[in-house]
């Protein structure tokens, strides 16, 4: 029994080692990880081919070319991105980020590059004409943004409430469908969205004018900041920066939604949507499957280990198992994901790649559930079985392994299948830490084409297909084992 446990622990250690180990490739040119907002057009948005474009994105690309560095882009919600910089998980953020005095205490900003201000937008049918019409109403703002701070600041004075969204598009949608009466957003972004077909109108003048800047953690990434500024100077001087801005904001500027406005709902079928977004969907699906598979296998190993610990004669082992299960079953998965991806690196200064953080989250969370039903399964084998085996002279470990566990395994297989399906669904939570899996892919596609119903239906169907396949596979395995 003990040997068995040791090898199991070694296996878990090995598996965790493999996923935690950061690839130690040292390239000649430095490579930085840079975060951006998932969708903040015209500054950043994903194109049909899954590429990131927009003023910030094109600017970053040109600067990196001029300054000889490469970068890996990690798009996530603005709020998570800001935290990821502070945790040292990414080196910098370019996300239409406003340079504010408060942020200056934790960020160093590059040369200010775009002047902005905050406006309020309402539904075209709304009779709200200004801030003073907001009494008793609820407005929408984006978590962690300057717009949200502004809304909160004036909410008392004008007597309204604020709800928060993680991405701009969901926020616009909430106003468009009438859940909230107004959205607070940066003027250039709001104006651009409206021009591209978002069904809202701006009713206030820009307030709280501020400049956008490239941000790095304070005193932590001077080298990157220097390069960014030097490159920015060059692209301003040679006219590239102006060209980029014109590309998106000039007359006939790039229409990121590709005629979404006149793509009336009945013209695009779901099938068209699938075809149009084929590669993005495929990538998202593959990421979801990767997370699920790696997560399930490692969580199963960890969970079985916890389950066995939970039925060991040693009180300490049982106590340990119960405590671990108690903690990780009790924590919401989103909190756990943020704790691992943002919290721990904040403390240790050591980066954890998002995928690794995601897998660890799955192992701890799903593993706790697995641990609970595994030990439950073993415990539910009639105690007489163990006693009979022991009285026949079998030592405890052998009696467990040969008599109790084989019966317990049969009891717990259905729970395993259930847990596999839950794991697949839970991976969607990991979109919050910037993993572009299937759910996040859906968010990105909607930001482009505004077809909320069709896109979410398509994503839902994709999940169902995969879940059906997984269920078939599990049933097939179950029959073999029984
Ligand atoms: N400019 C706003 C800010 O810095 C919003 C940025 C964003 O949502 N990407 O808070």
């Amino acid at each position: 029994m003990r040997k068995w446990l040791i090898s199991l622990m070694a296996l878990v250690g090995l598996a965790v080692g493999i996923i935690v180990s950061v690839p130690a490739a040292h390239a000649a040119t430095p490579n930085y990880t840079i975060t951006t907002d998932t969708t903040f057009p015209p500054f950043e948005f994903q194109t049909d081919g899954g590429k990131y474009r927009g003023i910030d994105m094109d600017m970053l690309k040109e600067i990196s070319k001029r300054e000889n560095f490469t970068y890996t882009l990690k798009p996530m919600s603005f709020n998570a991105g800001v935290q990821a910089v502070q945790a040292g998980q990414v080196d910098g953020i370019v996300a239409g980020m406003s340079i504010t005095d408060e942020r200056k205490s934790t960020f160093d900003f590059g040369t200010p590059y775009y002047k902005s201000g905050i406006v309020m937008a309402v539904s075209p049918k709304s009779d709200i004409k200004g801030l003073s019409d907001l009494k008793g109403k609820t407005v929408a703002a984006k978590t962690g943004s300057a717009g949200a701070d502004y809304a909160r600041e004036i909410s008392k004075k004008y007597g309204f409430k604020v709800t928060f969204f993680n991405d701009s598009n969901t926020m616009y949608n909430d106003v468009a469908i009438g859940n909230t009466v107004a959205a607070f957003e940066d003027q250039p972004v709001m104006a651009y969205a409206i021009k591209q077909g978002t069904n809202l109108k701006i009713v206030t003048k820009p307030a709280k004018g501020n400049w956008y800047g490239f941000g790095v953690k304070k005193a932590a990434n001077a080298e990157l900041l220097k390069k960014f500024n030097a490159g920015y100077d060059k692209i301003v001087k040679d006219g590239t920066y102006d060209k980029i801005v014109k590309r998106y904001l000039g007359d006939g500027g790039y229409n990121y939604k590709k005629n979404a406005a006149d793509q009336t709902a009945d013209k695009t079928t779901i099938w068209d949507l699938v075809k149009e977004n084929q590669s993005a969907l495929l990538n998202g699906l593959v990421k979801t499957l990767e997370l699920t598979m790696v997560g399930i296998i490692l969580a199963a190993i960890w969970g079985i280990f916890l389950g066995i610990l939970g039925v060991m004669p040693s009180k300490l082992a049982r106590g340990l198992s119960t405590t671990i299960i108690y903690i990780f079953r009790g924590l919401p998965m989103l909190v756990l994901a943020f704790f691992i991806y943002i919290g721990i690196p904040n403390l240790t200064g050591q980066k954890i790649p998002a995928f690794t953080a995601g897998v660890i989250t799955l192992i701890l969370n799903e593993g706790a559930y697995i641990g609970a039903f595994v030990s439950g399964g073993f415990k539910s084998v009639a105690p007489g079985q163990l006693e009979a085996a022991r009285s026949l002279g079998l030592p405890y470990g052998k009696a467990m392994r040969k008599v109790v566990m084989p019966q317990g395994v049969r009891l717990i297989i259905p729970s395993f299948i259930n847990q596999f399906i839950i794991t697949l669904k839970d991976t969607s939570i990991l979109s919050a830490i910037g993993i572009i899996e299937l759910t996040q892919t859906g968010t990105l596609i909607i930001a482009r084409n505004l077809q909320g119903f069709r896109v979410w239906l398509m994503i839902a169907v994709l999940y169902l297909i995969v879940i059906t396949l997984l269920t078939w596979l599990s049933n097939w395995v179950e029959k073999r084992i029984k």
Side-chain angles (χ1 to χ4, degrees):
M1 181 74 189
R2 203 159 284 156
K3 256 199 237 142
W4 207 82
L5 266 186
I6 290 170
S7 38
L8 193 65
M9 275 161 88
L11 204 63
V12 172
L14 189 72
V16 170
I18 290 171
I19 55 160
V20 170
S21 64
V22 192
H26 285 293
T29 48
N31 183 62
Y32 298 103
T33 38
I34 297 195
T35 185
T36 187
D37 201 337
T38 40
T39 129
F40 201 55
F43 294 91
E44 40 266 338
F45 54 87
Q46 209 190 23
T47 62
D48 289 349
K51 287 222 166 56
Y52 265 86
R53 297 298 305 271
I55 296 174
D56 285 348
M57 296 298 100
D58 293 9
M59 180 169 78
L60 180 64
K61 193 166 159 204
E62 292 297 333
I63 290 175
S64 74
K65 269 199 235 153
R66 306 257 194 313
E67 293 300 307
N68 274 324
F69 66 85
T70 55
Y71 56 91
T72 314
L73 207 60
K74 294 256 171 231
M76 55 188 110
S77 74
F78 179 67
N79 184 41
V82 167
Q83 293 183 53
V85 176
Q86 288 306 322
Q89 283 283 40
V90 296
D91 300 310
I93 175 167
V94 56
M97 182 175 184
S98 308
I99 304 172
T100 63
D101 284 341
E102 202 190 342
R103 285 178 185 158
K104 273 193 205 152
S105 62
T106 47
F107 280 93
D108 287 328
F109 287 103
T111 317
Y113 63 87
Y114 199 94
K115 177 92 199 276
S116 178
I118 298 152
V119 291
M120 179 171 102
V122 300
S123 152
K125 289 173 281 189
S126 167
D127 45 17
I128 289 174
K129 289 187 190 64
L131 298 173
S132 45
D133 297 327
L134 292 177
K135 205 165 180 56
K137 306 264 184 344
T138 305
V139 306
K142 191 153 113 187
T143 321
S145 71
D149 286 347
Y150 173 62
R152 219 181 297 139
E153 237 172 75
I154 58 169
S155 63
K156 264 228 174 80
K157 180 169 168 205
Y158 292 99
F160 61 84
K161 283 207 198 79
V162 193
T163 34
F164 299 94
F165 294 89
N166 275 330
D167 66 283
S168 289
N169 201 63
T170 315
M171 167 172 84
Y172 306 153
N173 212 29
D174 200 66
V175 180
I177 60 179
N179 282 340
T180 40
V181 299
F184 283 82
E185 176 66 290
D186 289 3
Q187 186 274 334
V189 176
M190 197 66 251
Y192 188 75
I194 291 172
K195 206 171 130 202
Q196 306 272 328
T198 299
N199 202 18
L200 296 178
K201 65 173 182 197
I202 295 174
V203 291
T204 58
K205 291 234 158 57
K208 288 246 154 185
N210 54 44
W211 285 84
Y212 290 166
F214 172 71
V216 298
K217 187 178 176 180
K218 196 165 182 71
N221 236 324
E223 192 194 275
L224 171 60
L225 196 62
K226 217 166 96 197
K227 284 190 181 140
F228 190 92
N229 282 344
Y232 176 72
D233 263 5
K234 287 182 194 159
I235 63 167
V236 168
K237 284 211 182 90
D238 70 10
T240 309
Y241 178 75
D242 279 345
K243 250 191 237 151
I244 292 175
V245 174
K246 250 200 216 110
R247 189 176 297 155
Y248 297 96
L249 296 177
D251 287 338
Y254 185 91
N255 186 334
Y256 87 106
K257 273 174 201 148
K258 259 181 84 198
N259 312 320
D262 47 64
Q263 261 176 23
T264 48
D266 40 312
K267 260 197 254 158
T268 356
T269 62
I270 298 230
W271 186 236
D272 288 334
L273 268 184
V274 173
K275 270 195 294 192
E276 229 170 72
N277 297 289
Q278 217 171 17
S279 69
L281 284 171
L282 196 68
N283 288 341
L285 189 63
V286 167
K287 230 341 139 289
T288 290
L289 289 177
E290 271 173 20
L291 279 170
T292 311
M293 285 306 161
V294 180
I296 281 177
I297 292 170
L298 296 180
I301 296 174
W302 175 236
I304 291 171
F305 171 71
L306 284 179
I308 294 173
L309 266 194
V311 291
M312 297 247 294
S314 145
K315 245 197 176 150
L316 182 76
R318 275 182 286 145
L320 196 64
S321 163
T322 334
T323 314
I324 295 175
I325 291 174
Y326 169 77
I327 293 175
F328 292 105
R329 217 167 41 161
L331 281 180
M333 206 171 137
L334 189 59
V335 174
L336 189 58
F338 277 131
F339 183 77
I340 294 168
Y341 185 66
I342 307 275
I344 293 181
N346 223 320
L347 186 76
T348 61
Q350 188 77 40
K351 282 187 196 184
I352 304 177
F355 186 83
T356 308
V359 169
I360 296 175
T361 307
L362 290 174
I363 297 175
L364 293 176
N365 180 282
E366 314 295 343
Y369 284 96
I370 296 175
F373 68 66
V374 166
S375 69
F378 292 156
K379 276 182 209 147
S380 64
V381 174
Q385 297 282 327
L386 179 63
E387 278 158 30
R390 298 280 277 141
S391 66
L392 285 175
L394 283 182
Y396 178 83
K398 209 163 190 187
M400 280 302 267
R401 245 180 312 139
K402 296 262 145 105
V403 179
V404 175
M405 287 185 178
Q407 301 181 58
V409 164
R410 247 163 248 154
L411 293 171
I412 60 184
I413 283 176
S415 310
F416 258 117
I417 294 177
N418 198 27
Q419 201 61 39
F420 288 174
I421 290 167
I422 293 173
T423 306
L424 180 96
K425 293 192 289 181
D426 279 354
T427 55
S428 71
I429 293 174
L430 302 173
S431 58
I433 56 168
I435 302 180
I436 305 185
E437 38 62 78
L438 199 50
T439 304
Q440 185 71 343
T441 307
T443 308
L444 293 172
I445 295 175
I446 293 176
R448 233 172 20 236
N449 66 15
L450 300 176
Q451 306 219 3
F453 177 73
R454 271 144 210 271
V455 173
W456 286 124
L457 183 64
M458 175 173 78
I459 299 286
V461 169
L462 276 172
Y463 272 111
L464 281 180
I465 292 174
V466 179
I467 280 169
T468 310
L469 293 178
L470 191 65
T471 314
W472 282 349
L473 181 74
S474 311
N475 288 342
W476 182 79
V477 174
E478 184 183 0
K479 274 196 207 105
R480 305 250 130 170
I481 294 180
K482 270 199 170 165

